[in-house]
Amino acid sequence: MIKIVVTDDHKLFRIGLAELLKKQKDFNVIATFSDGEKFLDFYTKSQDFDIVLLDINMPNIDGIEVLNKLRKIKSSVKPIIISMYDDGNYIAKCSKNGAYSYLLKNTDEEELIKAIRIVAKGKKYFSSLIAEKMVNFMATQSVSENLLSNKETEVLLLISKGLTTKEIATQLFVSTRTIETHRANILKKLEVKNTAQLIKKASEIKLI
Amino acid sequence: MIKIVVTDDHKLFRIGLAELLKKQKDFNVIATFSDGEKFLDFYTKSQDFDIVLLDINMPNIDGIEVLNKLRKIKSSVKPIIISMYDDGNYIAKCSKNGAYSYLLKNTDEEELIKAIRIVAKGKKYFSSLIAEKMVNFMATQSVSENLLSNKETEVLLLISKGLTTKEIATQLFVSTRTIETHRANILKKLEVKNTAQLIKKASEIKLI
DNA sequence: ATCTATATCCGTATAAATACGGATACAAAA
DNA sequence: TTTTGTATCCGTATTTATACGGATATAGAT
């Protein structure tokens, strides 16, 4: 029996997905969550499952952060990313952070089930399309991955959500000057001169 | 028996949704399609269904265009929009173009089923949250085909290129106050509060 | 053991954006 | 014809962002 947890902020999607998976006799969807934070809360209480299906774009704690945390604590739970974006940067990032598979939201049922069975056995599964995107990306611009520090990425995300420097500072429990410095460094690294260009560039290279 | 067609470009979503709906004895999901064009192709051959669940953002022909076409030919098929965006403009536009309901992708199963049953009887269904967003939007803005005026679009493009208000004013041979007013109006129309959110939203809804 | 990157903090100053007001001219739509 | 939307302009005030300068502590890499 393969025990599965689903985490996606779109309720209709995650319960639909759970419904799909339930059709497999040896699959057991034990819980679903609307964001990474709720999932991690659950995880601290119970690690009795094999696979977590994770969306990338979620409120509070996103899929990539979840991957990170699971990797850091050397969790035995195997994460599978289900994203709507077939972007090389995303794929590479997820793979690097310990994802066992990367599926698109428009893959079909058979591939999803196949991926889950493969991952449950401890093997990784990346379709040829996804693997190709990842390789292409890493060949050309592996630099962009560690362009920004973790903290800078965190700040960038909050900027993109429309928070002001002051609001970000409050939320991260640091002074506004610290955030201002982060902003300045982010602008410098992305070679832009203001917020508008920053957000545009960041979405172009799928940093947000 | 309520006959339903599902149209959404994310296969996992639409088959998951179909699976959910199949649990209702009196629901019959007769077909699913990946975009508006494929759905309309099918529609020309068969109109033997009651409800179509439509995503907005789809390749080729999007949900709003489908609404338009169905309305123009006075189709008896009742369209329900299922979108990830709770945007006032989207909601108002869909309502204006004949949607019987507007649901978010994170509504729950019960509400989806309730909406379908209500719509099947020929009534419209908009949750209080959605109705409120629509009313708020319509109170302040008129629902135009083009959300932004030509001038506003021009200004938005220059903002996204990183020009400051002063630079834009110089380039367009008008005063900075004029550009400031345009900026304020753009923010209002897109329901955002600052440049960061503006650029993010504008790229999300493909305005830039 | 030393160097480097990161994360944190501070001061001073200016530029820019946002939030309130309000107004006029013109063209298009109702 | 009246109303509505667009484009233009203005004042005042506050809040944010950006640009300089410089500093310390720590962890990781060489």
Side-chain angles (χ1 to χ4, degrees), chain A residues 133-202:
Chain A
K133 293 246 178 197
M134 176 161 52
V135 168
N136 282 345
F137 178 81
M138 293 201 289
T140 52
Q141 49 177 121
S142 58
V143 249
S144 123
E145 164 69 54
N146 8 26
L147 220 186
L148 298 185
S149 73
N150 288 339
K151 192 53 77 173
E152 284 162 350
T153 307
E154 195 179 1
V155 170
L156 172 57
L157 194 73
L158 295 174
I159 294 171
S160 79
K161 284 183 180 168
L163 302 213
T164 64
T165 296
K166 200 196 282 179
E167 289 167 338
I168 296 170
T170 305
Q171 186 161 328
L172 301 184
F173 306 105
V174 297
S175 86
T176 57
R177 290 301 280 100
T178 301
I179 303 302
E180 281 168 27
T181 307
H182 285 317
R183 285 188 91 119
N185 291 335
I186 294 169
L187 291 182
K188 204 168 148 198
K189 285 187 179 178
L190 293 192
E191 297 170 278
V192 292
K193 60 180 271 287
N194 59 29
T195 306
Q197 282 186 333
L198 168 65
I199 300 298
K200 195 184 172 202
K201 181 143 191 184

Side-chain angles (χ1 to χ4, degrees), chain B residues 39-178:
Chain B
F39 164 71
L40 288 172
D41 277 355
F42 171 79
Y43 182 81
T44 57
K45 289 172 204 134
S46 163
Q47 296 84 45
D48 185 25
F49 58 97
D50 308 290
I51 287 176
V52 56
L53 300 180
L54 282 169
D55 188 17
I56 294 184
N57 299 105
M58 293 187 294
N60 303 319
I61 295 182
D62 70 19
I64 291 175
E65 272 189 81
V66 172
L67 287 180
N68 242 310
K69 292 200 199 295
L70 290 179
R71 188 170 47 86
K72 277 182 189 155
I73 59 175
K74 298 187 197 306
S75 168
S76 64
V77 167
K78 297 166 194 74
I80 294 178
I81 294 292
I82 303 189
S83 166
M84 47 191 299
Y85 302 109
D86 64 345
D87 190 80
N89 186 43
Y90 268 174
I91 300 169
K93 213 171 196 172
C94 288
S95 172
K96 197 181 164 191
N97 284 309
Y100 271 68
S101 182
Y102 189 108
L103 303 171
L104 295 179
K105 285 200 177 177
N106 61 8
T107 46
D108 55 30
E109 200 174 347
E110 298 80 59
E111 189 172 21
L112 169 67
I113 290 164
K114 187 172 82 176
I116 291 176
R117 292 197 197 285
I118 290 174
V119 170
K121 286 179 191 155
K123 287 187 198 163
K124 300 201 169 186
Y125 172 79
F126 292 88
S127 76
S128 53
L129 182 81
I130 293 295
E132 193 193 335
K133 293 244 177 199
M134 177 162 49
V135 168
N136 281 346
F137 181 82
M138 292 199 293
T140 49
Q141 313 290 323
S142 76
V143 189
S144 60
E145 286 313 308
N146 300 319
L147 180 55
L148 298 183
S149 72
N150 288 341
K151 191 54 77 172
E152 284 162 350
T153 306
E154 193 179 3
V155 171
L156 171 58
L157 195 72
L158 294 173
I159 294 172
S160 79
K161 284 183 179 169
L163 302 213
T164 64
T165 296
K166 200 196 282 177
E167 288 167 340
I168 296 171
T170 305
Q171 186 161 327
L172 301 185
F173 305 106
V174 296
S175 85
T176 57
R177 290 301 281 105
T178 301

Side-chain angles (χ1 to χ4, degrees), chain B residues 173-186:
Chain B
F173 305 106
V174 296
S175 85
T176 57
R177 290 301 281 105
T178 301
I179 301 302
E180 281 168 29
T181 306
H182 284 318
R183 285 188 91 118
N185 291 335
I186 294 168

Side-chain angles (χ1 to χ4, degrees), chain A residues 12-31:
Chain A
L12 279 183
F13 181 76
R14 70 173 185 272
I15 59 179
L17 200 60
E19 213 58 53
L20 267 185
L21 298 173
K22 278 178 194 162
K23 289 199 298 178
Q24 304 300 311
K25 293 264 162 54
D26 56 332
F27 284 9
N28 187 8
V29 179
I30 62 165

